[in-house]
Structures are given as structure tokens and as C-alpha cells.
Amino acid sequence: MHSADNPQKALNRPLVPSKTVCLRFGIVDRTLDRWIASKSLAFPRPIVINRRRYFEIDEVTAWENTRKQAAPSDEASKEAA
């Protein structure tokens, strides 16, 4: 079960607001909306509390790490050029 389905479980984990997530990735709120809507990106689902979106920091970090692993390294990109 995802923590967005169980807000009580989410309260036991560190949460960050959507603004912090946007700052972390250098994006605007609308881009975050698109990332959440995109099934192919599999971005973590927010937890909504009082109409504000919060994300579990561990899920955001895990997502970021999987994206880094999936992206080609700078060295490989230079070698291909």
C-alpha cells in the first residue's frame, strides 16, 4: 500500500512540501504536475494535507537515484560524440 493511500503512515516519515521538491530539481510547479501525471516517469505520488502536496523525502531521493542510474554518464556521452 502506498503512503498516499494511508495518510497516517505518512505522518511517521519525513515529508517535504512541493515547493521544496521544485527547488531541488530546478522546476516550476506546473512541471511537477506533469511529472506526477506521467506514468513513464513514475514520480512519487504526493500526500495531500489541507490541499497542500507533500512528498516523502525517501521516495523522492530513491526516484532521483534511479533516474541517475538510468541516464548515461557524461563520459559515455563524450565518447559517443
Side-chain angles (χ1 to χ4, degrees), residues 19-58:
K19 183 175 183 177
T20 301
V21 174
C22 288
L23 289 171
R24 180 175 183 156
F25 295 110
I27 60 173
V28 296
D29 198 50
R30 183 65 184 125
T31 301
L32 182 59
D33 292 341
R34 290 183 181 112
W35 286 10
I36 294 166
S38 173
K39 294 189 186 301
S40 63
L41 282 179
F43 194 79
R45 307 294 300 169
I47 297 159
V48 179
I49 302 172
N50 293 331
R51 299 187 315 169
R52 295 193 173 146
R53 298 181 300 179
Y54 296 89
F55 296 84
E56 292 184 28
I57 191 65
D58 295 341

Side-chain angles (χ1 to χ4, degrees), residues 24-25 60-74:
R24 180 175 183 156
F25 295 110
V60 173
T61 302
W63 178 84
E64 184 178 23
N65 290 338
T66 61
R67 299 295 293 174
K68 286 179 181 176
Q69 292 173 358
S73 69
D74 288 338

